[in-house]
Amino acid sequence: MNVPGIGFQLYSARAVRDDDAILSTLAAIGYRQIETYGPWHDDPSHTRRLADRHGLAIHSAHIPLSLIRDEPRHVTDIARVLGVSFVVAPYLDENERPRSTAAWRGLARELQIYSKQLEGEGLQLGWHNHDFEFSLTEDGDLPMDLLLDTAPDLRWEMDIGWTARSGQDVLAWIARHGHRIAAVHVKDIANSDSDQAGDGWCSVGTGTIDWTPILAAARKLGVHSFIAEHDNPPDAAGFAATSFAHLKPLLEAA
């Protein structure tokens, strides 16, 4: 039985040059959802045809903040063609990151405006975290708190791996802001015995994170999208297969 809600972030397979082949592989493993990024948006109609061919839904897409800011119509066009309901701002380069509390609040107010704009198009806007959102500002505040507190309509795509890697208590953050979490990135931190270890990450279920309480807490709060991701897997298909095999029973039991 396939478990609805287990997705795959296609960034994890960026080294695979054959788009049709990777989607075929994901479908054969049991995935029914994918999350797109960058090059998959160059021809969204082609991406949608490939996804449909393999029975893969596209519920969310990583779209750079610069595009959300400067080309909002293009963003909504991409989302409509793909069938996406959740647009996620995925990352800020180091030179783009605010430093002060005031600057982070300014970014959050900007995101609130975009959230309302996209809401008018039937879309949600989310923020995908890394570790820098958990580094204190010059004024001693946490950017992740500032974003969520200042932009009330912004949703959160919580990256469990980066949250844990930054030294945060994942369960405490879920308890604190769980009603804002629209999707979870299921990313595991590697140890010496991890499968697919690379850049400190590994296949889900083979690393250091205790997934049972985390998945249970997220499910209890109504999170329905769990997206496997690895920033640099040695073998994307192997990572996808191992992660799905671990996630499926965990989510069934959650």
Side-chain angles (χ1 to χ4, degrees):
M1 180 180 67
N2 294 310
V3 179
I6 300 180
F8 185 89
Q9 166 53 253
L10 291 172
Y11 182 77
S12 304
R14 65 192 180 281
V16 180
R17 300 304 179 190
D18 188 330
D19 293 347
D20 188 67
I22 190 60
L23 297 192
S24 176
T25 296
L26 293 173
I29 289 168
Y31 289 92
R32 292 296 175 265
Q33 295 181 22
I34 52 174
E35 183 174 68
T36 55
Y37 80 102
W40 292 86
H41 304 151
D42 293 343
D43 187 347
S45 294
H46 176 66
T47 296
R48 179 64 183 268
R49 284 193 298 271
L50 287 180
D52 287 347
R53 180 185 303 165
H54 297 290
L56 295 165
I58 310 172
H59 293 165
S60 55
H62 277 197
I63 297 181
L65 179 58
S66 58
L67 200 62
I68 296 169
R69 176 188 289 129
D70 298 333
E71 299 185 57
R73 177 52 55 190
H74 184 44
V75 170
T76 56
D77 287 345
I78 290 170
R80 286 203 175 98
V81 172
L82 294 179
V84 160
S85 58
F86 188 38
V87 172
V88 184
Y91 184 70
L92 288 178
D93 289 329
E94 189 168 359
N95 63 342
E96 299 176 296
R97 297 171 196 169
R99 295 290 183 265
S100 68
T101 291
W104 274 105
R105 287 196 183 280
L107 173 60
R109 285 191 290 271
E110 184 183 358
L111 291 169
Q112 174 63 14
I113 292 170
Y114 304 147
S115 296
K116 298 303 288 185
Q117 290 173 343
L118 288 172
E119 184 183 307
E121 301 290 341
L123 302 168
Q124 289 184 323
L125 177 64
W127 185 269
H128 172 267
N129 69 278
H130 288 74
D131 55 349
F132 60 86
E133 292 91 344
F134 298 105
S135 295
L136 292 174
T137 68
E138 298 167 350
D139 309 289
D141 296 305
L142 281 176
M144 200 66 237
D145 275 329
L146 296 171
L147 290 174
L148 294 172
D149 291 344
T150 310
D153 292 301
L154 180 70
R155 305 300 299 275
W156 185 12
E157 182 176 68
M158 184 182 190
D159 189 304
I160 302 298
W162 277 116
T163 303
R165 195 162 168 174
S166 65
Q168 299 296 311
D169 183 332
V170 171
L171 288 172
W173 277 93
I174 292 175
R176 188 171 170 185
H177 290 295
H179 63 291
R180 305 290 292 280
I181 300 172
V184 165
H185 264 208
V186 190
K187 182 185 292 177
D188 213 338
I189 299 173
N191 58 37
S192 59
D193 298 323
S194 294
D195 174 80
Q196 293 290 318
D199 285 358
W201 308 112
C202 61
S203 295
V204 177
T206 71
T208 65
I209 294 178
D210 182 2
W211 289 104
T212 299
I214 292 171
L215 297 178
R219 291 270 286 196
K220 185 176 181 180
L221 289 167
V223 179
H224 61 270
S225 185
F226 298 85
I227 302 164
E229 185 185 43
H230 186 316
D231 286 353
N232 191 24
D235 171 25
F239 160 71
T242 302
S243 297
F244 188 89
H246 279 93
L247 265 176
K248 180 176 178 289
L250 288 172
L251 283 171
E252 287 177 335

